[in-house]
Amino acid sequence: MLLENMSYVEVEAYLVEKDTIIIPVGSTEQHSPYGILGTDFITAEAIAREVGRRLDILVAPTITYGMSQHHMGFKGTATLSPETMIGLVKDIVNSFLEHGFKRVVFINGHGGNIEPVKTAFSQLKYENKKGIFEIISWFLLPEVQEIERDIFEDKNGYHATPSEISITKLLRPDAFKTKPTEKKRITKNKIYFPLSAEEFKKAYPDGRMESAPWLAKEKYGKLIMEEAVRVISRKVRDIQKIKVL
C-alpha cells in the first residue's frame, strides 16, 4: 500500500473504495553522538508503513525534513523554516484533496513539526477545504510513554531518547556499529522554548535533552514500535468512522 509503488490507475481504483491516506513526517537533525540524523523520519516511516499494511490504507512517501531550526548548531542538521513547513504541508494536502482523498493523517516523529502542521491544517480550514486532517505523534502517545517509563524509568528524556534510538537500532542495526555506548551524566535544566540554535547548544552541548541513549536496545525498539502501531491503528480506524461534512 505504498503510493510510490502504484500507478495512477491503481490510485483511482483505491479511491473508489477508500478516502484515507497516511503521510509519515519527520526531520533530518542531530540526535546526539549516540543516534542517527534520520531518526525522526525513519521511525515515523516504519510505524506509518506498518499501520498502512495492517489497515490496508495507502501510505504516501515520507517527508524527511522538518522544522528543526533549534538543532542547527549541530552539523548535518537540515531545517525548514516554520513558513516553509506550513506551505509544504498545505501543498501536499491540497494535492491529495484534489484527487478525492478526504482523510489525511500525518504520522509524526518530530516535536518541532507539530505546530507548523497544525497551523497548516487551520489555514486549510480557513480556506474552506473539506476533509479531516490529523497529526499523530507516536512519541506522545500515553501508551508508548508508559512503556518507556517501565523500561527507562526517568531516563528517557525529551530528545535523543533511548526509546527512539531503540527503534532505529532495530531498523538500521549496521548504522550503530560506530556509535558510542558509554554512559554520561544526565543534566536537567529549566529551559524555556522556543530556543535559537545557539541557545539550544548552550543548554544541551551534546544534543541530548535529559536522556540516556546508551540504554537503547533493539528488543526495546520492537516493543515500543509495536505499541505505537497498535495504538495508531486504532486511532486511524476511529478517524475512518467520522463523517466528513
Side-chain angles (χ1 to χ4, degrees):
M1 296 305 294
L2 298 181
L3 180 67
E4 63 209 62
N5 291 338
M6 298 177 77
S7 71
Y8 77 85
V9 177
E10 291 170 315
V11 177
E12 287 176 345
Y14 174 87
L15 284 165
V16 171
E17 298 183 358
K18 299 179 181 179
D19 61 7
T20 304
I21 189 164
I22 293 171
I23 305 176
V25 58
S27 64
T28 299
E29 64 180 43
Q30 70 85 18
H31 277 77
S32 83
Y34 296 83
I36 57 180
L37 286 152
T39 296
D40 290 346
F41 76 78
I42 291 168
T43 56
E45 179 178 84
I47 291 167
R49 290 184 172 188
E50 181 60 18
V51 170
R53 188 190 69 81
R54 294 187 187 186
L55 301 184
D56 203 28
I57 292 175
L58 206 56
V59 180
T62 304
I63 302 172
T64 57
Y65 296 95
M67 206 295 289
S68 304
Q69 59 189 16
H70 47 298
H71 294 291
M72 283 298 292
F74 299 86
K75 300 295 188 291
T77 297
T79 189
L80 303 178
S81 70
E83 294 87 351
T84 299
M85 185 83 188
I86 292 166
L88 175 67
V89 170
K90 280 189 61 188
D91 285 350
I92 292 172
V93 174
N94 271 324
S95 296
F96 289 129
L97 293 178
E98 185 169 334
H99 295 309
F101 290 94
K102 296 179 181 178
R103 303 164 208 268
V104 184
V105 180
F106 285 75
I107 295 181
N108 176 46
H110 172 54
N113 293 339
I114 297 173
E115 291 306 318
V117 172
K118 287 185 174 181
T119 299
F121 293 166
S122 295
Q123 186 64 31
L124 287 163
K125 286 302 180 181
Y126 177 77
E127 296 169 6
N128 203 32
K129 296 301 171 70
K130 310 296 183 186
I132 296 172
F133 317 133
E134 185 63 80
I135 180 169
I136 303 172
S137 299
W138 70 264
F139 54 92
L140 293 181
L141 297 171
E143 296 88 346
V144 168
Q145 292 180 339
E146 183 176 352
I147 290 178
E148 292 169 345
R149 284 192 294 271
D150 288 343
I151 297 173
F152 306 118
E153 299 177 337
D154 62 343
K155 297 180 179 65
N156 197 55
Y158 304 100
H159 183 68
T161 67
S163 174
E164 60 187 344
I165 292 177
S166 290
I167 296 177
T168 50
K169 274 194 166 185
L170 174 70
L171 299 171
R172 304 280 181 97
D174 289 345
F176 288 88
K177 291 179 179 179
T178 58
K179 304 299 184 290
T181 58
E182 70 273 9
K183 296 180 181 180
K184 287 189 176 182
R185 180 180 177 184
I186 298 175
T187 303
K188 297 189 177 183
N189 299 322
K190 290 184 178 180
I191 300 295
Y192 55 87
F193 276 89
L195 295 174
S196 68
E198 182 180 356
E199 291 168 334
F200 185 95
K201 195 164 187 181
K202 284 182 180 178
Y204 306 106
D206 72 349
R208 291 180 298 125
M209 293 178 65
E210 303 180 19
S211 63
W214 50 85
L215 298 175
K217 293 183 179 180
E218 292 179 24
K219 65 178 182 179
Y220 299 150
K222 186 174 181 180
L223 287 172
I224 294 164
M225 182 174 164
E226 173 58 32
E227 185 67 0
V229 169
R230 184 188 70 81
V231 175
I232 293 173
S233 295
R234 186 191 70 219
K235 288 181 175 290
V236 173
R237 286 193 197 99
D238 289 341
I239 289 169
Q240 290 181 299
K241 295 175 184 176
I242 301 172
K243 182 180 179 181
V244 179
L245 300 176

